[in-house]
Amino acid sequence: FAWSPDGSRIAFDHRQDPRISSGSTSDISIIDVASRTIRPLVHRVGGDNSPVWSPDGQWIAFQTSNGDTVSNFYKNGQLAKIPASGGTPTRLAASFDENISGPVLWNPDGIWFNAFRKASMAFVKVDPATGAAEQDRDSPFLTVGSPSATPDGKRWAIVAQKDGRSLSEIYVSSGSGPIKITDMNAQISGWDVGTSEVVSWKSRDGTTIEGVLHKPSNFDPSRKYPLLVVIHGGPTGIDMPQPVPGYVYPIPQWVAKGALVLRPNYRGSAGYGEKFRSLNVRNLGVGDMWDVMSGVDHLVKQGVVDTARMGSMGWSQGGYISAFLTTNTDRFKAISVGAGISNWVTYYVTTDIYPFTRQYLKATPWEDPAIYAKTSPMTTIRQAKTPTLIQHGQFDLRVPIQNAYELHQGLLDHGVPTEMIVYRGFGHGIT
């Protein structure tokens, strides 16, 4: 919700019910604070949400799927504006090819939001009159976000990460440039975090894939190192250079112990445009595996990987890709599947975001069982050889735990070493 500049009205979005899969039913209304009367503003098919007032209170900008309920999981969301008094929405930033990330800010200087730009993030400025959008190409930061500005738009505060060796800090604007007012990096000043850099390679079908490679601080290109592949979720997540990535997996500790860690931004990841995010539609697992294994091959060809000591892991969609690797390749010494999908039919009938599967596979299991079989790790369970650790939250609604039990039993039935850990009381994520 958002208060109007004069404090007399509140614009807010609302859904038909509280289920998370009902986001595509969100509409926008305005409440008059004095009378408490509610007036619909945007009411149409698809998701319309996150209203933001113009500085003069005459307009409202909002994020929208523009009626799309069949591909909105992977296609770009849109930005639009509408008179606060009502009318027809007008699309803004139509030529900008990436999703909006974080909040939208509207000040006298224009409309602002931040968006991924490959393995970085920069601000995008939109002219509210023409709708023209331009992303900052000269930012001194690797990532920026959480913008906050004074009402006149003359002073800003942002959260920004300078480079791959730095934690995010809070900066405020000044006439001489941004001033850092926090020192979060003091916490890790004595740590050996190694280095992280963006690398790229060609996948099996010729698609250029990027990833983040973490190397020990004493990295020697003439040596061969153990390689751990850590696969992000989403699939529209993204990995960027950073010193201490810490969700689930102890990456800094492994790097300090002398391992290479590769975090691939496989097809479907954010930051590379709508076409790239669409490349795993009806190609889940298959194309993802092309991207991961071609990244491994890229490093192997450089002579820096001990191929007898390679492991792979991931959480959520990364867990699914790890499960797909478990049943489709024997090149890894061990694999960990975190909250991963093992069977798309099982997932389709149990997940709290069931439209996800239909959108990516473009069918229900009853309409096209072949595509569900092609993309499910359980289809190739008889090929599995890799020792596999399965980790799952007891009350996971996003990827229900039936997926873990199915993979675990299949591996046991085929004599593959496997262990399963259930985190009691946890849902999709663990802490």
Side-chain angles (χ1 to χ4, degrees):
F1 65 90
W3 285 85
S4 62
D6 63 3
S8 66
R9 294 160 293 169
I10 302 172
F12 65 100
D13 59 49
H14 47 89
R15 306 175 178 188
Q16 69 178 22
D17 59 54
R19 292 181 301 171
I20 195 166
S21 59
S22 294
S24 61
T25 70
S26 59
D27 293 317
I28 298 173
S29 295
I30 293 178
I31 182 169
D32 180 81
V33 176
S35 66
R36 300 191 180 185
T37 56
I38 296 175
R39 172 173 55 87
L41 181 68
V42 182
H43 180 71
R44 56 184 183 173
V45 174
D48 301 292
N49 51 70
S50 306
V52 178
W53 294 83
S54 63
D56 61 7
Q58 298 300 306
W59 293 86
I60 290 178
F62 62 98
Q63 298 180 45
T64 175
S65 68
N66 196 29
D68 182 3
T69 60
V70 297
S71 57
N72 56 287
F73 271 92
Y74 57 87
K75 287 192 174 180
N76 290 335
Q78 297 181 15
L79 180 68
K81 69 174 184 178
I82 187 172
S85 58
T88 302
T90 301
R91 185 178 179 184
L92 304 171
S95 63
F96 182 69
D97 183 24
E98 192 50 63
N99 268 326
I100 297 171
S101 296
V104 172
L105 177 69
W106 193 340
N107 64 27
D109 197 30
I111 299 175
W112 302 80
F113 59 85
N114 48 295
F116 292 112
R117 186 181 63 202
K118 293 188 174 180
S120 66
M121 179 178 282
F123 281 123
V124 177
K125 181 181 179 181
V126 181
D127 184 328
T130 66
E134 182 178 5
Q135 191 164 30
D136 182 5
R137 299 288 173 180
D138 301 313
S139 173
F141 301 110
L142 177 68
T143 68
V144 296
S146 303
S148 179
T150 54
D152 61 7
K154 296 185 181 301
R155 295 202 73 202
W156 283 55
I158 61 171
V159 175
Q161 180 188 351
K162 185 177 180 181
D163 52 42
R165 294 184 63 86
S166 304
L167 297 177
S168 294
E169 305 281 7
I170 296 176
Y171 292 82
V172 295
S173 61
S174 71
S176 58
I179 299 174
K180 183 168 69 74
I181 63 170
T182 59
D183 191 10
M184 305 302 289
N185 283 280
Q187 299 176 88
I188 64 169
S189 61
W191 293 14
D192 180 8
V193 296
T195 62
S196 62
E197 62 189 62
V198 176
V199 294
S200 66
W201 60 89
K202 293 289 186 180
S203 189
R204 174 174 166 176
D205 61 351
T207 301
T208 298
I209 305 297
E210 288 190 340
V212 179
L213 179 63
H214 297 261
K215 298 187 292 189
S217 55
N218 61 348
F219 175 75
D220 181 353
S222 66
R223 282 186 52 198
K224 294 184 185 295
Y225 294 83
L227 174 64
L228 295 169
V229 182
V230 179
I231 308 170
H232 69 68
T236 56
I238 184 172
D239 282 321
M240 295 179 286
Q242 54 183 296
V244 285
Y247 181 63
V248 181
Y249 305 107
I251 293 173
Q253 289 86 339
W254 286 334
V255 172
K257 288 177 180 291
L260 297 177
V261 176
L262 176 65
R263 299 191 293 151
N265 286 330
Y266 55 91
R267 64 192 61 208
S269 299
Y272 301 88
E274 185 178 283
K275 183 178 179 181
F276 185 84
R277 287 201 312 279
S278 305
L279 287 178
N280 54 8
V281 173
R282 290 184 63 84
N283 197 29
L284 289 168
V286 179
D288 306 329
M289 180 173 166
W290 295 346
D291 301 345
V292 172
M293 297 312 299
S294 58
V296 171
D297 290 339
H298 172 72
L299 296 178
V300 170
K301 288 177 183 177
Q302 294 181 12
V304 296
V305 174
D306 180 352
T307 55
R309 293 192 293 169
M310 299 197 306
S312 180
M313 71 215 74
W315 205 265
S316 191
Q317 190 77 5
Y320 157 65
I321 296 171
S322 297
F324 200 89
L325 294 171
T326 286
T327 64
N328 283 282
T329 181
D330 60 1
R331 292 183 61 187
F332 294 104
K333 188 76 171 179
I335 288 176
S336 175
V337 176
I341 299 151
S342 62
N343 186 326
W344 282 113
V345 178
T346 301
Y347 179 79
Y348 174 73
V349 299
T350 55
T351 182
D352 63 348
I353 55 167
Y354 71 92
F356 175 95
T357 319
R358 272 205 321 274
Q359 289 197 16
Y360 273 94
L361 298 184
K362 291 303 176 189
T364 68
W366 342 118
E367 294 166 337
D368 190 351
I371 191 63
Y372 278 74
K374 175 184 177 182
T375 55
S376 292
M378 295 307 297
T379 302
T380 46
I381 190 69
R382 288 178 293 179
Q383 299 176 188
K385 299 177 182 178
T386 307
T388 302
L389 172 66
I390 301 169
Q391 299 165 294
H392 222 102
Q394 179 185 13
F395 299 128
D396 192 340
L397 298 179
R398 185 60 39 83
V399 181
I401 199 169
Q402 291 93 326
N403 286 270
Y405 286 122
E406 193 166 340
L407 178 62
H408 183 54
Q409 190 62 52
L411 293 172
L412 286 174
D413 289 349
H414 290 87
V416 179
T418 178
E419 293 183 14
M420 179 170 165
I421 296 175
V422 177
Y423 297 96
R424 294 189 181 278
F426 281 92
H428 188 52
I430 63 169
T431 58

